[in-house]
Structures are given as C-alpha cells and as structure tokens.
Amino acid sequence: LTDSNNSKRARDMEEALAEKRRVHREEFRQSLGPLTAVESQVESLVLKLRGTRKLLQEAEARAIHAEEKLAVVVEQRDEERAAEDAARRALLDELERGRE
C-alpha cells in the first residue's frame, strides 16, 4: 500500500511539475508579445533614421553645391568691382590730367 501511495504521490508531483512548466511556458510566450512589438517599433525607427540620414546627406550636398555657386558669384562680383574701380581711377586720372 505504501508503494502504491508513493507511486501516486510521485505521479501527482510529476503532474504538478508538468503543469507548472506549462504555465511558465505560456507566461513566457505571452511576455514575448510586448517584446515583439518593441522590436517592430525599433525596426521602424531604424528605417526612419536611415531615411532621415539620406535626406540630410542630400541637403548637405545641395548646401555644398550652393556654397560653391555663391563663391563663384562673389569672385565674379569682386572682379567686376575691381574692374569698375580701375576704370574709375583711370577716369579720375584723365580728368586730373585734363585740369593740368
């Protein structure tokens, strides 16, 4: 009778342990749900960041191009001013010589 009781008790303990494992497995599976959602959000943010980085690189390239164009315009303006100044000085010199 004690062997039978011990056997039944062992089976009951095994069943209880199996049930605990099943509950823990189910709880673990449910805990993965929010984790998967967070992982999905992170992936989405990474894609947005890549897009933002690409837009920033394009904007930077446009800004560099605009700076280069501006430098050319400024250089041309400076050359034009220098030519105007030279013409003005030549005209003034001519006027001065005319007075003498």
Side-chain angles (χ1 to χ4, degrees):
L1 194 64
T2 37
D3 281 344
S4 173
N5 284 343
N6 286 343
S7 208
K8 180 166 177 8
R9 191 176 314 149
R11 268 195 314 274
D12 289 345
M13 287 175 69
E14 283 178 21
E15 287 174 9
L17 190 58
E19 178 62 18
K20 272 186 178 180
R21 282 190 199 125
R22 188 192 66 71
V23 167
H24 283 283
R25 255 194 318 273
E26 184 58 34
E27 288 172 351
F28 179 72
R29 268 195 215 109
Q30 288 177 0
S31 73
L32 288 180
L35 184 63
T36 312
V38 168
E39 185 178 16
S40 175
Q41 288 175 339
V42 167
E43 288 174 2
S44 174
L45 288 173
V46 166
L47 291 175
K48 285 180 184 176
L49 283 172
R50 285 183 185 152
T52 302
R53 184 183 313 136
K54 183 176 180 182
L55 290 174
L56 285 172
Q57 289 170 339
E58 291 170 358
E60 182 181 19
R62 285 193 303 273
I64 289 170
H65 182 68
E67 284 177 346
E68 291 168 350
K69 286 175 90 174
L70 180 61
V72 168
V73 169
V74 167
E75 186 178 331
Q76 288 173 344
R77 185 202 62 201
D78 290 346
E79 289 171 358
E80 288 171 2
R81 283 186 180 166
E84 288 172 1
D85 289 345
R88 205 174 291 117
R89 279 192 303 275
L91 188 58
L92 287 173
D93 287 346
E94 216 175 289
L95 286 173
E96 283 295 319
R97 275 189 237 119
R99 286 186 190 165
E100 294 173 359

